[in-house]
Amino acid sequence: MNDLATAAVPGRTRCDGFAVRAALRRAAPALAAFAAVRMLGLAVLAVWSAANGKSWHTLLTARWDSLWYTRVAEQGYGYSVQLANGDVHSNLAFFPLLPWLERGLSALSPLSPADAGMVVAWLASLAAAWALYATGERLHGPGTGVALAALWAALPVGIVQSMAYSESLFTALAAWGVHCVLTGRWVWAGVLASLAGLTRPVGAAVVAAVWITAAVTVWRARAGGPGWRAALREHRDMLLGVLLAPLGWCGYFLWVGAQRGSLTGYLDVQGGWGNGFDGGLAFASFVGHQLSGPAFAAGLGLLVGVGLVIWLYVHGVRRGQPLPLAVYGGTVLLLALTAKGYFGSKPRLMLPAYPLLLPLAAGLARWRPVRSWLVIGVVAVGSAVYGAFWLNGSGPP
C-alpha cells in the first residue's frame, strides 16, 4: 500500500505533507510520461492547424462546448438558442463546476474565462494522471500505474484532455473519488463524488461506486458479526460518505427542475439537444444503417470498437477488478452506449472510463521496458495525428 493511502486508511489518522510528497515522487514518472504524450499531441495540433490556416488555441478554447462553458462563466445560466427545426439548446445542459472555476480563476488572474478553462483542464488532467498512477500502483505495481497514465493520455480522443472541456476535471475528481473508496477514505470519497456530480451528468457513476461498495461492505460486516445497526455504527464515516456522494448531482438536477418548473426539467433540457437514454436503440439503429449502406466499413469499425470496449470491461471484471472500479467503469460505459444523440461524441463520453485500460496497462507492465514504451510511443503518435485531424475537421461535440 502506498504512503498516501496508508496514512489515510482506518487506523492511520495522519496524512501529512511528507506522505503526499512521497506519493508525488513515486508518481513523477507517470506524470512525465503523461505530459510527454499530451505535449506531442499539442505540437502536432499546432503544426497541423497552422498548415490549415487555423489557430490551435481557438480550437482548444473557443469551439463547440467550450463556448457554452465560457458563456455560463461570463453571463450565468439562462441563455438558449432555438434551431430552425424547433429544437432549443439551453446552457442549462452544462453542469456548473467548470464554469465556476473559469469565473473564479479569471477573476484572480489576467486569464480570460476561456483560457482559464484550458488551464483548469491541463491541471486537472495531470491530477487525473496521478490518480490513475496511484490506482495502477495499488493494484498491480508502479509499472502498471505508469502505463495506465500513459495509455489514458494516448487515447484517440486524448486531445480533449487539453481542451476547455469538463472531461479532464471530471476524470480527476472521479478517479480520486474511486481511489478513496479503494483505500477506505469514505468522507473524501463522498466529497469528491459530489464534486464530480457538479461537473458532468455521468457523475452518477461515481455515486454508484460509493453506494454499491458501501452496501456490500456493510452486508459483509453484518454477515460476519452483529446486526445492521452495529455494522452501521462501525462504519459511520462510510455512512457520511454515502450521504455526501449524491449531493452535487442531485442538487443541480433539482435546481434545473426548479428553473424549468418541472421535476424532469434537466431531462427536458437534454431532450432539446437531442440527448437522452433509450437503452441503446438509437445507437444500434445508427450502426445498422451504416452496415446496410455505403458506409459499411465505418459501421463495421463501430461494431468492432463497441465489442472491444465491452471485452475490455468483461476481461477486467473476470480478472478480479475491485468492485468500485468495476461499478464505476461499467456505469460510464453503460451510460455512453445507451445514450442517444450525436453518435460521434461516444468516444469522448467514454474518455473517463479509465478502468477499461487497466488490463492493457497491466499487460504492458509485464513486457520488457523497451518493447512496452515502443508500443506506447506508436499509440501516442497515432493519437496526436488523429487528434489534430479530428479538431481541424469535424471535431467534437
Side-chain angles (χ1 to χ4, degrees):
M1 185 181 297
N2 61 56
D3 295 339
L4 183 58
T6 303
V9 295
R12 297 292 298 271
T13 59
R14 188 174 66 92
C15 183
D16 55 20
F18 174 78
V20 175
R21 289 193 297 270
L24 183 57
R25 281 196 300 271
R26 289 197 312 278
L31 298 180
F34 175 85
V37 174
R38 293 294 352 117
M39 290 301 294
L40 174 63
L42 292 173
V44 174
L45 175 65
V47 172
W48 196 301
S49 301
N52 283 346
K54 296 182 179 180
S55 165
W56 66 271
H57 179 263
T58 299
L59 292 173
L60 295 178
T61 63
R63 294 291 307 277
W64 306 292
D65 289 5
S66 299
L67 293 171
W68 288 88
Y69 283 118
T70 299
R71 188 175 284 113
V72 173
E74 293 175 338
Q75 303 172 13
Y77 286 104
Y79 177 82
S80 63
V81 175
Q82 184 165 5
L83 306 184
N85 64 359
D87 289 343
V88 177
H89 288 184
S90 167
N91 65 359
L92 288 169
F94 296 89
F95 276 51
L97 186 56
L98 177 59
W100 287 347
L101 292 175
E102 289 179 338
R103 181 185 302 172
L105 185 55
S106 64
L108 297 173
S109 70
L111 295 171
S112 68
D115 286 339
M118 184 173 66
V119 169
V120 169
W122 288 15
L123 294 177
S125 66
L126 282 170
W130 186 4
L132 267 59
Y133 170 79
T135 301
E137 178 198 39
R138 179 177 179 82
L139 297 179
H140 302 291
T144 298
V146 174
L148 182 59
L151 286 175
W152 188 66
L155 287 172
V157 293
I159 190 66
V160 174
Q161 298 163 12
S162 302
M163 297 177 67
Y165 269 43
S166 60
E167 275 77 7
S168 290
L169 178 61
F170 173 79
T171 305
L173 295 168
W176 278 116
V178 172
H179 187 268
C180 285
V181 177
L182 285 171
T183 55
R185 293 171 287 173
W186 289 99
V187 176
W188 274 111
V191 170
L192 291 166
S194 186
L195 291 173
L198 283 172
T199 308
R200 292 189 62 79
V202 74
V206 194
V207 178
V210 173
W211 279 14
I212 293 176
T213 306
V216 171
T217 302
V218 172
W219 177 271
R220 289 174 176 170
R222 175 187 176 275
W228 286 106
R229 292 181 180 177
L232 288 174
R233 282 197 299 270
E234 185 181 347
H235 295 89
R236 276 176 288 191
D237 283 354
M238 179 192 301
L239 181 59
L240 180 55
V242 166
L243 294 175
L244 289 170
L247 294 183
W249 190 91
C250 289
Y252 186 67
F253 189 94
L254 293 174
W255 182 80
V256 173
Q259 298 299 305
R260 303 279 294 189
S262 168
L263 186 61
T264 62
Y266 184 77
L267 300 178
D268 298 335
V269 168
Q270 287 286 3
W273 282 82
N275 297 326
F277 297 94
D278 62 358
L281 294 177
F283 184 48
S285 176
F286 174 76
V287 174
H289 178 73
Q290 299 289 97
L291 290 171
S292 61
F296 174 81
L300 184 61
L302 281 173
L303 202 59
V304 170
V306 170
L308 176 61
V309 296
I310 293 175
W311 178 84
L312 285 172
Y313 176 72
V314 172
H315 183 65
V317 171
R318 291 182 64 182
R319 288 177 59 88
Q321 193 169 93
L323 182 62
L325 287 165
V327 171
Y328 167 75
T331 305
V332 172
L333 183 59
L334 178 66
L335 294 176
L337 293 180
T338 59
K340 61 181 180 179
Y342 182 65
F343 301 116
S345 66
K346 288 195 179 293
R348 179 172 65 86
L349 297 179
M350 288 188 280
L351 186 67
Y354 65 90
L356 299 178
L357 300 173
L358 261 171
L360 298 177
L364 282 174
R366 291 192 294 269
W367 290 5
R368 284 181 156 187
V370 172
R371 187 182 177 193
S372 61
W373 282 111
L374 179 61
V375 170
I376 291 174
V378 170
V379 174
V381 170
S383 172
V385 172
Y386 178 76
F389 167 79
W390 188 45
L391 288 196
N392 278 274
S394 60

